[in-house]
Amino acid sequence: MSLSAGDIAHVTDLFSEIPDLTTRRMFGGLGLYCGGTIFALALSDGRLMLKAPEGPFAERMAALGGQPWTYTRKTGAQSVMPYWTVPDECLDDPQALAALAREAIAHLRDP
């Protein structure tokens, strides 16, 4: 399953306040970049995730109720990726989502 053109338009609209926003299809989903830095993923299953490697921003995402992206490898082992689900309340509030995205970008550029 992959994202439709409508899904992509919706996601880019959600992040319209992010400067230098570019996208790239990947994993059946979409990578979102700010000035060449990947900061979010829109997964084909509908989840929207912000990048938050270990540290203060990952802790903040956990406190907001975000869940880390995990998947099962072919070997059966669980792997955790440095992406966290966006809190539901941010999906209904573009300004809150943009603020959280800017925070993610700041942490990625200056860990």
Side-chain angles (χ1 to χ4, degrees):
M1 179 179 184
S2 65
L3 296 176
S4 70
D7 294 332
I8 292 170
H10 176 70
V11 169
T12 55
D13 187 51
L14 285 174
F15 289 107
S16 63
E17 291 186 26
I18 302 301
D20 302 319
L21 181 69
T22 57
T23 62
R24 185 174 141 213
R25 287 183 177 266
M26 55 177 51
F27 313 119
L30 190 72
L32 293 107
Y33 297 79
C34 174
T37 300
I38 189 168
F39 70 92
L41 294 174
L43 301 181
S44 60
D45 64 7
R47 288 181 292 168
L48 186 59
M49 312 200 81
L50 291 176
K51 189 169 185 179
E54 289 183 18
F57 188 62
E59 292 167 10
R60 175 156 158 63
M61 291 298 291
L64 290 171
Q67 297 295 313
W69 179 18
T70 61
Y71 71 96
T72 304
R73 294 180 176 265
K74 290 178 184 177
T75 63
Q78 288 285 324
S79 289
V80 179
M81 300 295 288
Y83 291 89
W84 291 74
T85 56
V86 171
D88 288 340
E89 59 271 10
C90 289
L91 296 174
D92 297 326
D93 185 347
Q95 286 79 25
L97 180 59
L100 201 56
R102 284 190 292 273
E103 194 175 338
I105 294 161
H107 281 277
L108 290 165
R109 290 186 173 164
D110 188 23

